[in-house]
Amino acid sequence: MAVYSELIKNFNKVRDYVRDFYIFGFRTREDYNTKSKRTYDNEKRRIESWLSDYVHTELSGHKKRVAVKIDCSRIYQNPLYKCYKSATYTENDIKLHFILMDILENREMTVPEITDMIVSKYGMVFDLQTVRLKLKEYAEEGLLLQRKVGKATAFRKSDIYIDDIISSYPMLSDMITFFSEEMPFGVVGSFIMDKGDIANSIFTRKHAYMVHTLDDEMLLEILSAMGEKRVVTLSCVSVKKGNKLNITAIPLKIHSSVQTGRNYLIMYYESQKRLFSVRLDSVKSVNIGEKCEKYDKYYEYYENNKCRLWGTSFGNKRIYGQKEKVHIEILIDENTEGFILKRLEREGRNGRVTKIEEGRYAYDAEVFDANEMSPWIKTFIGRIAVFDTTNNELKERFFNDIQQLYDMYGGDEG
């Protein structure tokens, strides 16, 4: 039976619920079939506790629908950071933390000395290995400093404090404030702001994709693997179909959409000898594996092929590597619509723009998946004189959409 607690041990437990309430909104208990109704109630109560100012409910018949609504232009800090600040700790973790901070105040000691003092001063017994691991963890985090004393390792408290740093560099607080709302890992800046009692009263965003901060934990693991040139195994759940699968491949690059803020991981599949992409919000866990000796070779392969990407799709895996051509001709009044030409050149990515005649320009591109271009191409409807592509599916869908517009609005009739 699921027991309610505002604090959580595993961030993944609540991650999907927060994302669903934020993106889809107005979900009811009946919309969640994978977990029990009690689990849904517990997760909803956590979200309502963390994000009380942004949770909205409405009744649909006898059902209560819940949604998280956030107007990013009216807030100064991403409220989803509260989810990261709700981790639970054991009683011994809390006790050992404050005991170590007290013992190491103005002194340097080895692990056996610290363990003995815990017994003599506090009357508590901790295993030597437990104390050692906690000290090493704090040293890695920068809370403690360590040095070799003979064969032993001595620890002492770090003399670096955020309050001292900010007071020495007053403008640093503005930099931290700005960083805290930038992706990725802005939550780090939020923690520093809490510690330094810094409040943001300067920066807001007209468009902020705050929900993707929920993927930062996975992103950090993946970037660590990329930095060490290692293979990773991802446990994923398909966003569209809900299928579960494990993917073992070499992570090469993170692509971020400027339209949605969504992150994609570009990987190389050794067994199939191809590049592909994975949506980061579909990744549930990351397992870092062995070092990849051919990492630089695969990365160079990606660099040589990225010019054929429109978004993140490398096309149908059954015809991997096949490039699709797109040709459009656009009519422009050069006296009054020069901005259209500039937009075509600015947004056309790796395509090329050529002038056919006065007021008529051609745009040509060669990409792995022309379907990704469809929304952009349609923004020029009304100016397109010619459209052609080797992707027959896209061509048929484009002209069908045009025909539906004519049928709906009457075309040139009358």
Side-chain angles (χ1 to χ4, degrees):
M1 180 182 294
V3 179
Y4 172 73
S5 170
E6 185 178 324
L7 302 179
I8 54 174
K9 291 183 179 180
N10 186 353
F11 184 69
N12 275 338
K13 186 177 181 181
V14 78
R15 179 183 177 213
D16 291 338
Y17 281 92
V18 175
R19 181 184 288 113
D20 281 355
F21 283 130
Y22 181 86
I23 295 178
F24 302 109
F26 295 107
R27 293 297 187 95
T28 68
R29 297 173 88 213
E30 287 70 24
D31 293 326
Y32 291 92
N33 299 318
T34 56
K35 297 289 184 178
S36 69
K37 304 303 181 185
R38 184 181 294 274
T39 299
Y40 167 85
D41 288 339
N42 289 342
E43 303 306 334
K44 182 172 71 71
R45 287 168 65 189
R46 286 194 185 96
I47 295 169
E48 289 174 332
S49 175
W50 299 333
L51 309 173
S52 57
D53 294 336
Y54 310 100
V55 174
H56 296 259
T57 61
E58 69 175 32
L59 289 176
S60 176
H62 297 290
K63 298 177 181 178
K64 181 187 289 187
R65 298 184 180 275
V66 183
V68 176
K69 294 183 178 180
I70 302 173
D71 183 352
C72 60
S73 65
R74 295 178 178 272
I75 63 173
Y76 290 94
Q77 188 174 56
N78 186 346
L80 300 182
Y81 291 155
K82 292 181 181 179
C83 304
Y84 281 106
K85 299 173 183 177
S86 301
T88 184
Y89 299 91
T90 66
E91 181 180 344
N92 283 341
D93 277 335
I94 294 295
K95 288 179 179 178
L96 186 56
H97 170 80
F98 287 104
I99 288 172
L100 292 176
M101 294 298 104
D102 183 45
I103 288 177
L104 295 176
E105 185 70 34
N106 300 321
R107 60 167 66 94
E108 182 180 73
M109 302 177 69
T110 63
V111 177
E113 290 172 340
I114 293 171
T115 306
D116 291 341
M117 181 170 282
I118 292 174
V119 175
S120 61
K121 187 175 181 180
Y122 299 95
M124 299 181 65
V125 179
F126 283 94
D127 182 71
L128 189 70
Q129 184 66 5
T130 300
V131 176
R132 178 180 286 108
L133 290 175
K134 182 62 70 174
L135 291 169
K136 288 184 66 177
E137 177 188 339
Y138 283 4
E140 291 174 357
E141 296 293 337
L143 292 174
L144 302 178
L145 301 177
Q146 58 181 339
R147 70 181 183 92
K148 280 289 184 181
V149 180
K151 294 183 178 180
T153 300
F155 295 87
R156 63 182 176 86
K157 286 180 68 174
S158 170
D159 55 0
I160 301 175
Y161 298 96
I162 186 64
D163 311 70
D164 297 335
I165 296 174
I166 292 175
S167 61
S168 300
Y169 304 94
M171 299 302 293
L172 188 62
S173 60
D174 289 344
M175 185 199 76
I176 294 171
T177 300
F178 180 80
F179 163 74
S180 71
E181 295 306 308
E182 290 298 302
M183 294 190 298
F185 311 125
V187 67
V188 176
S190 179
F191 273 105
I192 295 174
M193 289 171 66
D194 292 345
K195 184 68 175 176
D197 196 25
I198 303 170
N200 176 23
S201 59
I202 305 173
F203 304 107
T204 59
R205 270 67 174 174
K206 183 177 181 181
H207 301 292
Y209 306 107
M210 291 179 285
V211 71
H212 299 296
T213 190
L214 301 174
D215 302 325
D216 281 358
E217 192 175 17
M218 303 301 160
L219 181 59
L220 182 60
E221 292 289 323
I222 291 168
L223 291 178
S224 297
M226 289 167 59
E228 298 175 4
K229 302 180 179 180
R230 294 183 178 274
V231 177
V232 298
T233 298
L234 308 180
S235 177
C236 303
V237 175
S238 172
V239 177
K240 295 181 179 179
K241 298 181 179 180
N243 299 332
K244 297 181 180 180
L245 66 156
N246 291 325
I247 301 172
T248 300
I250 297 94
L252 300 173
K253 199 75 170 181
I254 300 292
H255 283 215
S256 296
S257 170
V258 296
Q259 295 174 311
T260 65
R262 184 174 291 129
N263 294 312
Y264 296 84
L265 171 61
I266 307 299
M267 309 181 76
Y268 184 81
Y269 219 146
E270 281 190 300
S271 61
Q272 298 182 13
K273 298 181 180 179
R274 66 181 180 93
L275 294 162
F276 68 103
S277 64
V278 176
R279 273 178 55 170
L280 205 58
D281 56 0
S282 71
V283 179
K284 304 306 175 185
S285 65
V286 180
N287 183 30
I288 300 177
E290 60 186 14
K291 198 160 185 175
C292 176
E293 299 299 330
K294 297 181 179 180
Y295 189 93
D296 292 337
K297 176 184 175 182
Y298 297 145
Y299 188 83
E300 183 181 2
Y301 179 63
Y302 155 77
E303 286 287 335
N304 292 336
N305 282 274
K306 71 176 182 180
C307 62
R308 304 300 181 194
L309 281 176
W310 180 263
T312 59
S313 173
F314 289 89
N316 192 318
K317 67 180 182 180
R318 291 189 294 272
I319 51 173
Y320 173 75
Q322 179 174 307
K323 302 171 185 64
E324 300 173 345
K325 295 180 180 180
V326 173
H327 172 81
I328 57 177
E329 294 180 16
I330 295 179
L331 303 180
I332 300 172
D333 185 334
E334 296 187 25
N335 294 322
T336 61
E337 296 179 337
F339 64 93
I340 298 294
L341 178 59
K342 289 181 179 178
R343 181 175 162 236
L344 196 62
E345 294 171 337
R346 183 179 65 250
E347 299 177 5
R349 305 190 187 181
N350 297 311
R352 65 183 183 279
V353 179
T354 55
K355 184 173 183 177
I356 300 175
E357 59 186 21
E358 190 70 22
R360 192 182 187 98
Y361 287 82
Y363 172 83
D364 292 277
E366 193 176 62
V367 297
F368 287 121
D369 190 351
N371 288 303
E372 291 187 308
M373 298 180 67
S374 180
W376 179 75
I377 292 171
K378 288 179 179 179
T379 64
F380 294 97
I381 282 182
R383 304 178 185 280
I384 298 175
V386 175
F387 173 76
D388 193 22
T389 175
T390 56
N391 184 319
N392 293 325
E393 178 189 350
L394 174 60
K395 184 191 296 186
E396 182 179 354
R397 187 169 67 249
F398 179 85
F399 286 113
N400 283 341
D401 290 345
I402 297 296
Q403 186 59 52
Q404 287 182 37
L405 285 175
Y406 271 83
D407 294 342
M408 185 179 298
Y409 297 106
D412 292 329
E413 296 178 5

